[in-house]
Amino acid sequence: VYGMIEEIKRRDRLSPESLRQLHSILDEAERTVGFDAILLACTELSAAAYELKSRGALIVDSNRMYARAALERLGIRPAT
């Protein structure tokens, strides 16, 4: 995953090969331990959020959480 983060820093997105690799990692995790949500805890990984929505798991995107918290702190009610 570290290589994917570096790729996003360089290209602002993941290549099709990296997206396939990410899905492969998630497929293996789903088979072996299962999950209900995917936590994109590194802010660069937000670049993959749209592609991961098709998996059907809840996507928890740290960038969205930071933005929501900042707006709330400013007294602005974020859209849902």
Side-chain angles (χ1 to χ4, degrees):
V1 174
Y2 179 74
M4 293 175 198
I5 292 168
E6 291 302 312
E7 180 179 347
I8 293 167
K9 286 179 180 179
R10 287 190 311 274
R11 303 180 64 223
D12 292 327
R13 67 186 187 293
L14 287 174
S15 67
E17 175 59 33
S18 291
L19 280 172
R20 282 190 292 277
Q21 183 181 11
L22 180 57
H23 279 287
S24 177
I25 290 167
L26 292 170
D27 289 342
E28 178 66 20
E30 198 167 26
R31 273 193 304 277
T32 58
V33 295
F35 56 82
D36 297 319
I38 300 169
L39 174 60
L40 303 176
C42 178
T43 56
E44 282 81 12
L45 291 175
S46 293
Y50 179 79
E51 289 83 1
L52 295 176
K53 286 183 186 258
S54 65
R55 298 194 67 88
L58 172 67
I59 305 295
V60 181
D61 182 351
S62 62
N63 272 345
R64 289 184 64 108
M65 293 175 66
Y66 290 140
R68 178 177 291 278
L71 289 172
E72 289 173 354
R73 177 99 178 181
L74 292 170
I76 300 169
R77 185 167 184 247
T80 56

